[in-house]
Amino acid sequence: CGRGPGGCRGGRTDMALRCAASLAAGRQPRGPRREGAMRWSSAAKPSAVKINEKASREKILTLESMNPQVKAVEYAVRGPIVLKAGEIEKELRKGIKKPFTEVIKANIGDAHAMGQRPITFLRQVVALCTYPNLLDSPSFPEDAKKRARRILQGCGGNSLGSYTASQGINCIREDVASYIERRDGGVPADPDNIYLTTGASDGISAILKILISGGGKSRTGVMIPIPQYPLYSAAISELDAIQVNYYLDEENCWALNVNELRRALNEAKAYCNPKVLCIINPGNPTGQVQNRKCIEDVIHFAWEEKLFLLADEVYQDNVYSEGCQFHSFKKILYEMGPEYYNNVELASFHSTSKGYMGECGYRGGYMEVINLHPEIKGQLVKLLSVRLCPPVSGQAAMDIVVNPPVPGEESYAQFIKEKESVLNNLANKAKLTEDMFNKIPGVHCNPLQGAMYAFPQIFIPPKAIEEAKAHKMAPDMFYCMKLLEETGICVVPGSGFGQREGTYHFRMTILPPVEKLKILLEKVKDFHIKFLEKYA
């Protein structure tokens, strides 16, 4: 309210009102308050006090006053196209007629939302951990109960509802280390180098936070692949770091070329201090799987140029093409000898969200960080302690990923059947998607060697590009918006991931059930042909 020299305007009137309200309530009226001590009285009758509804002060937080780094963040996977899809879904529920009956959200790798069934054993263990009374139930197998008891013993009060150590439950970190050793053929892993995280994204963001420093030309540069998963560009923007793009070779099945890394590094040295190199293997959105020679070349480059390596390996179980095999950066680094293994700083990431599990909602993950300076290790634990601990149910889910049933245990047969069914199904859908896209005029799709996405290149006629500019849209955003509005199919424009100038793409997940995926691909085909006819 507007204050005069004696406090609020109309102070005597307000005081009389308070006295009258006090007498009506059987209380003795109090003397005048000290200046500035006036408060709202709930005893005053609403009719006695008029509130000026139009009077409102300016907002403290506005687009002009907010953190500019947050404003700069973009995350295409849940960007404008997805917001539009949500609006269309609401319209469909209201009975508004469309040329389609449902929105197919092929924009994100959310396996269970697309109908994939959970892995029984994983859900059994998490259920037992969540409600320990079930440990007495004969409906659950003993190998699941054994794992649940071990996890609960690592929790305060034997409860999944307690906080854990910031680095995660110790026995689960031990299981992660054992898993890495098995995966990498005996390469040693130390549980003390394992950090359980809220999905892989949490670990990636934490490592970037601790790596970024300096100002001006000494500001940290972070080398990321183009196309890239938008988490990286978003985190770099939020942290006000410098994004350094290196381009994957689309004509060579999205291969990573060290000569391109060197070009990007040398150019970036003119305006920043490049010291981080991010690799996504298998690739997202591009689906390539790096061969051993490529990984060796990248590690040698990082060693030579003194770069901190980030290896995003969340799709390590998702390899489909014949002749392709997942090689972890940790394993290859070790096999290159002590000069590399004892010096190259490497953080590698895994998650419950992808693979055959698809448990996105549990937000389980881990990172292994090797060759970290001891003092920095303490700083990293301090940073992680600010968020207390990752979700404990997600930690339990991660434990089952790294400590699944083994031959001889009663759940093994069902587990391996479910796992292989999911992965074989994904391999079939990857081939189906690639083949069908390559039959569409003006569309080219590289082999889907791994991961969960297709990233086809699409031809957009000049007339459509001009119309997109008139709508202040990137051409592939215009294309994807038209696709959504005319077919109900939601995909993400390639501009949200980055692409070479003059090329256009979209990312589409291969997760829908086979029959729905066939319908989706046919709709894309029909749309694209009509789009070319309209704008040719």
Side-chain angles (χ1 to χ4, degrees):
C1 59
R3 291 182 180 272
C8 289
R9 288 196 293 265
R12 291 183 180 179
T13 303
D14 289 344
M15 189 183 299
L17 286 170
R18 288 200 304 272
C19 289
S22 296
L23 288 169
R27 296 193 303 270
Q28 289 298 316
R30 289 177 287 183
R33 291 183 180 274
R34 294 188 306 275
E35 183 176 353
M38 178 183 172
R39 68 178 181 184
W40 174 261
S41 172
S42 60
K45 293 181 179 179
S47 59
V49 180
K50 292 184 178 180
I51 300 173
N52 185 354
E53 295 179 357
K54 292 183 180 179
S56 73
R57 67 179 188 181
E58 292 183 359
K59 298 293 184 185
I60 295 168
L61 185 59
T62 65
L63 283 173
E64 288 71 34
S65 67
M66 72 174 287
N67 184 331
Q69 273 65 61
V70 174
K71 190 159 60 172
V73 168
E74 293 183 4
Y75 189 63
V77 173
R78 295 199 175 193
I81 199 88
V82 182
L83 297 177
K84 181 65 175 179
E87 292 174 8
I88 292 174
E89 282 184 316
K90 289 179 182 177
E91 291 173 354
L92 287 171
R93 285 195 291 269
K94 290 177 181 177
I96 298 173
K97 297 296 181 183
K98 301 284 182 184
F100 46 86
T101 57
E102 66 171 331
V103 172
I104 302 176
K105 290 186 176 179
N107 60 295
I108 194 165
D110 191 350
H112 292 186
M114 286 291 180
Q116 181 178 309
R117 304 301 301 165
I119 298 296
T120 301
F121 188 76
L122 188 150
R123 287 296 183 91
Q124 286 175 330
V125 176
V126 176
L128 289 163
C129 290
T130 304
Y131 189 57
N133 288 2
L134 294 173
L135 288 164
D136 297 326
S137 170
S139 301
F140 289 80
E142 284 303 317
D143 47 0
K145 291 179 180 180
K146 178 183 175 183
R147 284 165 175 78
R149 289 189 185 101
R150 183 166 178 266
I151 292 168
L152 288 171
Q153 286 168 5
C155 298
N158 291 320
S159 172
L160 217 61
S162 61
Y163 287 130
T164 71
S166 298
Q167 218 170 323
I169 297 172
N170 188 59
C171 68
I172 298 178
R173 291 191 291 117
E174 290 172 354
D175 288 344
V176 171
S178 297
Y179 162 79
I180 291 170
E181 288 184 0
R182 292 194 307 273
R183 181 197 68 188
D184 293 344
V187 175
D190 184 351
D192 202 37
N193 291 334
I194 307 297
Y195 305 80
L196 301 182
T197 57
T198 307
S201 303
D202 175 49
I204 293 165
S205 297
I207 288 293
L208 286 174
K209 277 182 185 177
I210 212 162
L211 275 163
I212 290 167
S213 64
K217 289 187 177 181
S218 65
R219 189 65 174 164
T220 298
V222 181
M223 300 180 68
I224 63 171
I226 299 296
Q228 52 102 23
Y229 177 48
L231 163 70
Y232 291 94
S233 54
I236 290 166
S237 292
E238 182 182 356
L239 297 169
D240 197 24
I242 306 299
Q243 179 174 316
V244 179
N245 297 338
Y246 66 87
Y247 289 88
L248 301 176
D249 185 358
E250 184 171 12
E251 294 183 3
N252 191 21
C253 203
W254 298 111
L256 195 167
N257 189 305
V258 170
N259 290 332
E260 170 61 12
L261 288 179
R262 200 172 302 282
R263 177 208 62 78
L265 180 81
N266 290 337
E267 289 182 8
K269 285 179 178 178
Y271 55 85
C272 70
N273 175 26
K275 64 178 183 182
V276 186
L277 173 57
C278 301
I279 309 290
I280 308 173
N281 180 46
N284 176 12
T286 45
Q288 85 284 3
V289 178
Q290 292 177 7
N291 61 39
R292 183 189 179 94
K293 176 66 166 60
C294 175
I295 295 172
E296 288 176 347
D297 290 345
V298 170
I299 290 172
H300 177 75
F301 177 77
W303 173 81
E304 187 178 46
E305 298 292 345
K306 297 181 180 178
L307 298 172
F308 195 113
L309 265 177
L310 304 189
D312 184 338
E313 298 174 336
V314 301
Y315 296 99
Q316 58 190 258
D317 289 304
N318 301 105
V319 177
Y320 315 125
S321 294
E322 287 186 19
C324 289
Q325 180 183 350
F326 171 74
H327 302 280
S328 78
F329 268 74
K330 162 86 175 294
K331 180 177 187 285
I332 304 302
L333 178 62
Y334 184 84
E335 293 174 350
M336 288 176 71
E339 188 173 10
Y340 293 93
Y341 184 69
N342 294 329
N343 290 293
V344 174
E345 292 152 280
L346 168 68
S348 51
F349 308 90
H350 196 17
S351 167
T352 62
S353 301
K354 309 304 176 186
Y356 58 90
M357 308 79 64
E359 294 282 7
C360 304
Y362 276 122
R363 308 308 300 130
Y366 75 75
M367 62 179 172
E368 182 187 25
V369 190
I370 62 173
N371 291 325
L372 207 57
H373 190 288
E375 291 179 357
I376 294 299
K377 200 168 188 175
Q379 293 294 320
L380 177 57
V381 172
K382 178 186 74 174
L383 177 64
L384 295 175
S385 71
V386 173
R387 53 90 160 118
L388 296 176
C389 68
V392 188
S393 56
Q395 295 186 49
M398 191 75 246
D399 188 64
I400 306 313
V401 176
V402 298
N403 185 25
V406 296
E409 290 188 306
E410 62 180 299
S411 299
Y412 177 75
Q414 181 181 10
F415 168 79
I416 207 70
K417 179 182 177 182
E418 291 176 352
K419 175 182 176 180
E420 289 180 352
S421 173
V422 170
L423 293 176
N424 290 336
N425 195 24
L426 284 169
N428 292 335
K429 290 190 287 188
K431 190 72 174 75
L432 169 70
T433 303
E434 175 194 336
D435 290 346
M436 289 192 72
F437 272 142
N438 285 327
K439 291 177 182 176
I440 304 173
V443 176
H444 173 72
C445 184
N446 275 325
L448 277 61
Q449 297 175 338
M452 296 178 171
Y453 314 100
F455 196 68
Q457 183 174 155
I458 51 175
F459 172 69
I460 298 182
K463 186 178 175 183
I465 294 172
E466 289 303 313
E467 188 166 332
K469 288 179 181 177
H471 287 86
K472 298 182 179 179
M473 287 185 184
D476 49 7
M477 172 64 84
F478 177 76
Y479 178 96
C480 292
M481 198 65 79
K482 289 288 186 184
L483 176 66
L484 173 64
E485 292 171 346
E486 295 180 24
T487 69
I489 296 170
C490 179
V491 297
V492 189
S495 50
F497 301 87
Q499 54 199 353
R500 283 196 180 275
E501 188 174 350
T503 67
Y504 306 106
H505 304 78
F506 63 79
R507 189 191 80 162
M508 185 196 85
T509 181
I510 61 171
L511 289 172
V514 172
E515 292 309 312
K516 182 173 279 191
L517 182 62
K518 287 179 180 177
I519 293 169
L520 186 158
L521 291 167
E522 284 293 341
K523 283 187 172 184
V524 172
K525 176 184 175 181
D526 293 343
F527 167 82
H528 188 78
I529 291 170
K530 290 176 184 176
F531 187 87
L532 292 183
E533 289 173 352
K534 179 177 180 179
Y535 291 103

